[in-house]
Amino acid sequence: MTVRTRVRVLAFARVAELLGAREEALEFGGNACVADAWAMLTQRVPELSVLEASTRAARNGRIAAFDEPLADGDELAFLPPVGGG
């Protein structure tokens, strides 16, 4: 039996603009980590790749490293830097 990992992705600021949505559902066939989710999004929207170095991730409301594993049902948010003043 294949393990499926489904996560809800929340996108903010420039990430949401490039995706064209504030929310996305992703599904992986097996074990996945935050970086796998980012890679799936950048495969669909290559322009996201320029934001990778400055974008932070949060898994279930806590800052997460890109190598942190995902579990089925997780909520994952990508938080790009926000300018202002």
Side-chain angles (χ1 to χ4, degrees):
M1 182 171 158
T2 302
V3 175
R4 306 299 291 174
T5 303
R6 294 172 185 89
V7 297
R8 177 179 170 219
V9 175
L10 304 178
F12 296 92
R14 186 72 178 135
V15 174
E17 290 173 20
L18 290 171
L19 283 175
R22 292 179 157 242
E23 191 172 316
E24 183 94 18
L26 299 179
E27 184 172 329
F28 303 93
N31 296 329
C33 65
V34 173
D36 295 322
W38 182 257
M40 188 177 281
L41 295 174
T42 58
Q43 184 176 27
R44 203 180 78 222
V45 183
E47 295 84 1
L48 284 171
S49 63
V50 299
L51 299 176
E52 183 172 354
S54 59
T55 297
R56 300 293 168 251
R59 179 178 165 247
N60 300 324
R62 294 180 176 228
I63 297 298
F66 269 57
D67 63 352
E68 187 169 320
L70 296 172
D72 191 46
D74 278 351
E75 180 180 85
L76 183 61
F78 286 110
L79 313 161
V82 178

